[in-house]
Amino acid sequence: MSSPIRTVSSIGIMGFGAFGRLMARHLQPHFALQVCDPAQPPEPDPSGKGLRPADAAGVAACDLVVLAVPVPAIPAAIAALRPHLKAGAVVLDVGSVKIGPARAMQESLPADVEIVGTHPLFGPQSARGGLAGLKIALGPIRGRSTPRIAAFLRHVLKLRVVVTTADAHDREVAMVQGLTHLIAKILVRMEPLPRTMTTASFDLLMQATEMVRYDAPNVFMAIERANPHAKAVRDRFFALAGDMRLFL
């Protein structure tokens, strides 16, 4: 395997949805960015180190490449990038599940490319006040880049880094995100909900609902369907909810 790139000066981003834009805003002061998203191409932005729209080849020419596309679109993004990636580059994804993307990247990316799985445990709503103190999961897959990436995230972006494996991540997130998004979807369907005679606990429940209410539908589908551990959690939740009806 080729030696890793020692100094990352450029980052390529595939996908410029809500999370891609959030990421670009926080990375641009530190790196030159190339962004590819034919569906919503970015405008050139000379602030910070600069952001430029690019095609897949331009993104792949960067030192570090971020797959900020929906989980089902990861194989197509890899196929577009693969012929143009340089030896030693680092490729990471930001998907809400990790087992499937990790397998896709291992199987389809060139052997001389390093791979890290990541999941920022926040989104545009929860990051409105800044990134400091928010969590991000990192899963080393191939190569030695994880410690360098973790150091940048901790010391520059002030994130709390959790190093994990794809399977351990998906087991916990099946409940952490799977139940949160599921309950939020149900509550939204029960609207209108009380806004005046509320308790502190109900207000917190509403805050949690608002944080995920406007997530793209593909995020919910990835959390609930692409995570192999999510069904067991859902089944247990609905079974226990059904048992509660016996007491009411």
Side-chain angles (χ1 to χ4, degrees):
M1 180 175 175
S2 299
S3 298
I5 294 169
R6 294 297 176 187
T7 302
V8 172
S9 60
S10 59
I11 293 181
I13 301 175
M14 286 290 282
F16 207 56
F19 191 81
R21 294 191 294 273
L22 173 68
M23 184 168 43
R25 185 164 71 250
H26 290 281
L27 292 177
Q28 193 173 339
H30 311 286
F31 305 97
L33 303 182
Q34 302 267 2
V35 179
C36 176
D37 190 332
Q40 39 196 351
E43 293 293 328
D45 184 350
S47 64
K49 298 285 185 178
L51 180 155
R52 292 194 299 164
D55 57 11
V59 166
C62 295
D63 302 325
L64 186 147
V65 176
V66 182
L67 304 177
V69 297
V71 170
I74 285 177
I78 291 173
L81 293 166
R82 180 185 169 91
H84 311 288
L85 290 164
K86 56 188 180 184
V90 182
V91 176
L92 59 86
D93 78 303
V94 294
S96 298
V97 294
K98 296 272 63 79
I99 292 174
R103 184 183 300 119
M105 290 189 289
Q106 280 181 299
E107 292 176 351
S108 302
L109 286 170
D112 57 6
V113 166
E114 301 208 7
I115 307 171
V116 181
T118 85
H119 179 196
L121 296 161
F122 56 87
Q125 293 298 317
S126 50
R128 282 181 298 179
L131 299 184
L134 299 177
K135 294 180 183 179
I136 184 168
L138 292 189
I141 298 174
R142 182 197 297 162
R144 296 168 287 172
S145 295
T146 301
R148 288 188 299 145
I149 294 171
F152 172 80
L153 296 173
R154 284 193 184 105
H155 300 303
V156 179
L157 298 186
K158 306 301 181 184
L159 290 164
R160 296 169 60 190
V161 176
V162 181
V163 179
T164 185
T165 64
D167 185 72
H169 169 277
D170 284 4
R171 284 183 186 277
E172 290 205 29
V173 168
M175 182 167 291
V176 171
Q177 282 195 310
L179 284 187
T180 301
H181 283 70
L182 184 64
I183 292 169
K185 288 284 186 184
I186 293 170
L187 285 173
V188 168
R189 291 191 177 191
M190 293 180 71
E191 289 182 328
L193 296 169
R195 299 293 178 182
T196 305
M197 215 89 63
T198 63
T199 61
S201 57
F202 186 83
D203 289 340
L204 289 172
L205 189 58
M206 289 299 94
Q207 287 178 33
T209 299
E210 290 304 314
M211 284 184 180
V212 301
R213 176 195 288 266
Y214 300 109
D215 283 358
N218 60 63
V219 173
F220 177 72
M221 298 309 292
I223 289 168
E224 298 294 348
R225 292 190 178 177
N227 185 335
H229 300 296
K231 183 179 184 300
V233 172
R234 283 197 311 275
D235 289 348
R236 184 183 176 208
F237 175 79
F238 287 129
L240 291 171
D243 289 346
M244 290 296 295
R245 299 184 68 177
L246 300 176
F247 300 97
L248 302 175

